[in-house]
């Protein structure tokens, strides 16, 4: 089992920035391939009263996918050696307010967008609130 833990959320004014962090860990008797993030990983969000949506994905080769509303403002990145995934969020808008989740699935390495609705491992979420 892989555990994902997010941090970095908070309250910020419109136009501000936040950096979300997701760390992957597992029991010590599992190989590092479980936490090296060399599979489909990404960030999702769910605003109050709305369905969960994909924000950004990154595959085993480092290829990224973004939802249209965050292109040019958000950047997803990862450090395999540190088992860490980031989401740099700039020029934040009120519509970015949501609970943000880190998610992953060890079954897939590429074409992550096709499997986003079936990711099997999720963090507990971190709240992002953007106000004017």
């Amino acid at each position: 089992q892989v555990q994902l833990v997010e941090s970095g959320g908070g309250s910020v004014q419109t136009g501000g920035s936040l950096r979300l962090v997701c760390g992957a860990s597992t029991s010590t008797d599992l190989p590092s391939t479980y936490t090296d993030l060399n599979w489909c990983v990404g960030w999702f969000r769910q605003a109050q009263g709305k369905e969960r949506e994909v924000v950004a994905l990154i595959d085993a080769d480092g290829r990224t996918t973004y939802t249209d509303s965050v292109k040019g403002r958000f950047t997803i990145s990862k450090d395999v050696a540190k088992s860490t995934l980031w989401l740099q969020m700039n020029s934040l808008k009120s519509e970015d307010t949501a609970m943000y989740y880190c998610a992953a699935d060890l079954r897939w390495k590429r074409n992550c967008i096709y499997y986003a609705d079936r990711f099997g491992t999720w963090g507990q979420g971190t709240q992002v609130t953007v106000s004017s």
Side-chain angles (χ1 to χ4, degrees):
Q1 284 280 29
V2 176
Q3 290 82 44
L4 302 174
V5 178
E6 306 98 331
S7 61
S11 297
V12 65
Q13 290 189 326
T14 301
S17 298
L18 283 173
R19 190 187 196 199
L20 303 185
V21 184
C22 175
S25 64
T26 187
S27 58
T28 56
D29 58 348
L30 290 176
S32 62
T33 50
Y34 280 72
T35 57
D36 64 8
L37 302 183
N38 274 329
W39 9 276
C40 286
V41 296
W43 293 94
F44 296 70
R45 66 186 179 187
Q46 186 167 20
Q48 196 167 8
K50 296 186 178 182
E51 293 187 356
R52 187 176 64 201
E53 64 172 346
V54 174
V55 176
L57 302 170
I58 186 166
D59 72 9
D61 300 320
R63 285 187 291 260
T64 58
T65 303
Y66 297 93
T67 191
D68 286 346
S69 63
V70 308
K71 286 180 181 177
R73 300 188 298 122
F74 290 12
T75 303
I76 188 172
S77 60
K78 64 180 179 178
D79 187 322
V80 170
K82 296 181 179 179
S83 300
T84 302
L85 179 72
W86 294 278
L87 183 69
Q88 178 66 43
M89 305 186 295
N90 299 327
S91 303
L92 283 162
K93 306 176 180 179
S94 58
E95 50 262 45
D96 295 318
T97 295
M99 184 71 78
Y100 284 70
Y101 298 91
C102 171
D105 203 295
L106 281 72
R107 292 174 289 179
W108 304 296
K109 288 182 173 287
R110 299 169 185 84
N111 300 312
C112 304
I113 190 63
Y114 298 114
Y115 309 108
D117 61 343
R118 285 175 278 169
F119 277 24
T121 301
W122 293 82
Q124 82 289 351
T126 185
Q127 178 68 36
V128 171
T129 302
V130 184
S131 57
S132 57

